[in-house]
Amino acid sequence: MTAMIVSDFSVDTALGRLAARQWEPADTGRTLAPIVMLHDSLGSIALWRDFPERLAAAAGRRVIAYDRLGFGGSDPHPGQLSMDYVQDESRTFLPQVLAQAQADAFLALGHSIGGCMGIASAAQHARCQGLITIAAQAYVDERIVAGIVDARNMFRDPAQFARLEKYHGAQARWVLDSWADTWTSPDFSSWNMGAELPQVRCPALVLHGDRDEYGSLAQPQRIADSIQGPVTFRVLEDCGHIPHREKPQVLLAAITAWLQDLPPA
């Protein structure tokens, strides 16, 4: 079993402190660019479970994850999400995480809206050597909105809401409302990644479950068709919206195989 060095660190920003963690194989050093993991709309470091450690061991790379402001162990968010919060995450917060982690070049791996933030990161930062999207969205459609409405109704059950509180504590209500209110707002209905996708020129791996509750295969197809760099598009069979929980070994194999084919930096 690969010896792993796991360490927590924090990132001080103008709006509050971010909680972060890194997993580093003890015998590989830092010759390869780290993978930065960007969580979904209800996610956190803890909700990645053991996937970051398994990925670090299989890839032989440092893996970094952090809680966005308002999520998990990070400080509360001071207000509401802006309509360009996806682009702002990669523009404002990600560079500060990279600086604190002493990481220059990096690979972006994002799940769901984190995948969109990964797209924005690859578009905005030339030092992004690769992009991995998992269950990401390219635009708002009725299926996404319907899924969010269903999820919000589910969390009216106190037992279900307690699951959010387990990972987000007193911030759980803000986490849920910021997601649901933003994505169901008429002002957000025209949101899309159309400006960023053609600016992605690094290698990309686009992954999507064939049973994803929040997005048909038209979503990843748009992503794969619009990226200008070399793209590998793979549909994960019999898989929903959370592959790292539903099909972790399949997901891990797909990512590590793609990493092995990356050209030298």
Side-chain angles (χ1 to χ4, degrees), residues 18 38 40 53 75 89-90 134 141 157 160 210 236 243 258:
L18 305 180
L38 300 155
D40 65 292
E53 182 170 1
D75 283 350
E89 185 67 34
S90 60
I134 304 169
D141 65 15
D157 179 345
Q160 295 294 335
D210 61 358
L236 306 177
W258 177 78

Side-chain angles (χ1 to χ4, degrees), residues 221-239:
Q221 190 67 64
R222 175 77 62 85
I223 293 171
D225 289 345
S226 302
I227 286 174
Q228 295 302 298
V231 178
T232 301
F233 176 26
R234 179 171 174 185
V235 176
L236 306 177
E237 296 182 359
D238 193 29
C239 185

